[in-house]
Amino acid sequence: MSGEFRVREMVLGIEGLALLRHAGDGDETFLQERMTEMRRFVLDEEKVPDGGATVSELDAAEGYAIWSAVYDSLPSSYIEVEEPVVHSILDGLETGVALDAACGTGRQTRALTERGHRTIGVDQSPQMMAKAREHAPDAEFRVGRLERLPLDDDSVDLAVCSLAMTHLPELATGVAELARVVRPGGRIVVSDMHPFVIALQGQCHFVRGADELAFVRNHLHLPSRYLDAFGRAGLRVRGCHEPLFNGRLAPGGYEEFIADAARAAWDGLPIVVVWDVEVPA
């Protein structure tokens, strides 16, 4: 599926979200600035950054094969707020055998090995896994999918899955697989894109070519659906963390062009959710 990267519509949407969130109690000058900017964009008096690109939806295998080349070089507000929460949970756990499910370029694989775990990284993308081997050379890596992990039942003490469940149309299968491979008494740490972000912004685009963007679809998973999936898998929730937007806008992106509106639109909203669950002993 292909479409067009509509920068003006995105700019107007962010301006509108800032207005929606602050119309009732916002500073009058700020509100008037938003109205003035929107009027200029609508009338083409204010030119937006050139989109100039088509957008294609790719499956996870093809998408991450392309994304792997630049994934680690791109600043990410999602990762910046997610990692401290995940790592604080990991710091409180005893060492053992750990799984990094959908390990990508291995940022959590490295975090697990640095904490003394014997770590197995699993990902369906050989290109992403090649990067992971560079970041965590002491870990073991296996090609596999989150929905069918290449591990035996009850074979690890800890499983981590970071920002990957959003690519699954439904949660039950992925959660059940994590529960299957973790021993009784073990822990599972899952981070995901917050449903607020996906409902409001949708997809995360990356550069595919000189004049083309692409994305791997993010599916919206409400907390109630996570709780249902955990319950079906027999897991017990220990904690749920929702770190907030930290003010970072993607450098060079369209939101930097309307920074005041963008920060007002996202300020105070959770952008990631982190679940800390355990397999009952």
Side-chain angles (χ1 to χ4, degrees):
M1 183 181 73
S2 297
E4 182 183 350
F5 190 61
R6 300 181 179 276
V7 178
R8 184 171 70 161
E9 286 81 352
M10 290 181 173
V11 165
L12 287 170
I14 293 294
E15 293 275 5
L17 179 57
L19 275 178
L20 179 65
R21 295 196 61 208
H22 297 279
D25 59 357
D27 175 77
E28 185 63 27
T29 300
F30 170 83
L31 297 176
Q32 287 303 316
E33 287 174 349
R34 304 285 70 76
M35 294 293 293
T36 299
E37 281 188 350
M38 292 179 74
R39 189 177 300 112
R40 288 174 178 168
F41 292 137
V42 169
L43 297 176
D44 271 343
E45 295 173 356
E46 182 84 21
K47 297 298 182 182
V48 299
D50 182 23
T54 59
V55 180
S56 299
E57 179 178 353
L58 306 177
D59 63 25
E62 183 180 4
Y64 277 100
I66 297 168
W67 209 350
S68 64
V70 297
Y71 190 87
D72 289 329
S73 65
L74 302 175
S76 170
S77 57
Y78 304 106
I79 290 175
E80 287 179 2
V81 302
E82 179 246 27
E83 279 193 345
V85 178
V86 172
H87 291 179
S88 69
I89 297 172
L90 300 184
D91 288 340
L93 302 180
E94 295 182 0
T95 58
V97 181
L99 164 67
D100 186 6
C103 66
T105 60
R107 63 187 181 89
Q108 302 294 19
T109 317
R110 178 172 54 193
L112 290 164
T113 58
E114 288 175 347
R115 286 163 174 77
H117 297 279
R118 183 165 71 82
T119 307
I120 302 167
V122 173
D123 201 277
Q124 66 174 307
S125 169
Q127 294 83 0
M128 296 290 275
M129 197 175 295
K131 300 288 186 181
R133 286 192 175 94
E134 296 175 7
H135 292 153
D138 295 330
E140 175 188 349
F141 291 96
R142 303 178 187 179
V143 176
R145 298 178 64 88
L146 182 55
E147 310 95 303
R148 181 180 282 185
L149 294 167
L151 284 86
D152 294 333
D153 295 357
D154 303 336
S155 57
V156 301
D157 303 292
L158 165 67
V160 175
C161 181
S162 293
L163 304 179
M165 286 284 185
T166 186
H167 296 316
L168 300 183
E170 54 85 25
L171 292 169
T173 303
V175 169
E177 273 294 274
L178 294 176
R180 178 183 67 80
V181 303
V182 176
R183 299 181 181 115
R187 294 279 277 279
I188 300 173
V189 181
V190 176
S191 70
D192 205 356
M193 303 283 286
H194 201 282
F196 277 6
V197 171
I198 297 174
L200 292 171
Q201 186 174 7
Q203 309 307 320
C204 299
H205 298 95
F206 56 91
V207 176
R208 186 184 188 188
D211 58 352
E212 187 174 357
L213 300 174
F215 67 90
V216 178
R217 181 163 296 279
N218 293 325
H219 297 274
L220 190 153
H221 298 312
L222 296 173
S224 59
R225 294 177 183 170
Y226 259 109
L227 291 172
D228 180 65
F230 292 146
R232 292 186 181 196
L235 302 172
R236 184 172 75 88
V237 176
R238 296 176 57 96
C240 177
H241 309 269
E242 298 173 289
L244 306 180
F245 171 65
N246 64 355
R248 175 191 280 277
L249 303 175
Y254 69 89
E255 286 191 330
E256 273 200 336
F257 184 68
I258 50 165
D260 289 346
R263 290 194 173 92
W266 299 116
D267 182 52
L269 291 183
I271 61 173
V272 170
V273 60
V274 180
W275 296 95
D276 176 10
V277 302
E278 67 178 359
V279 181

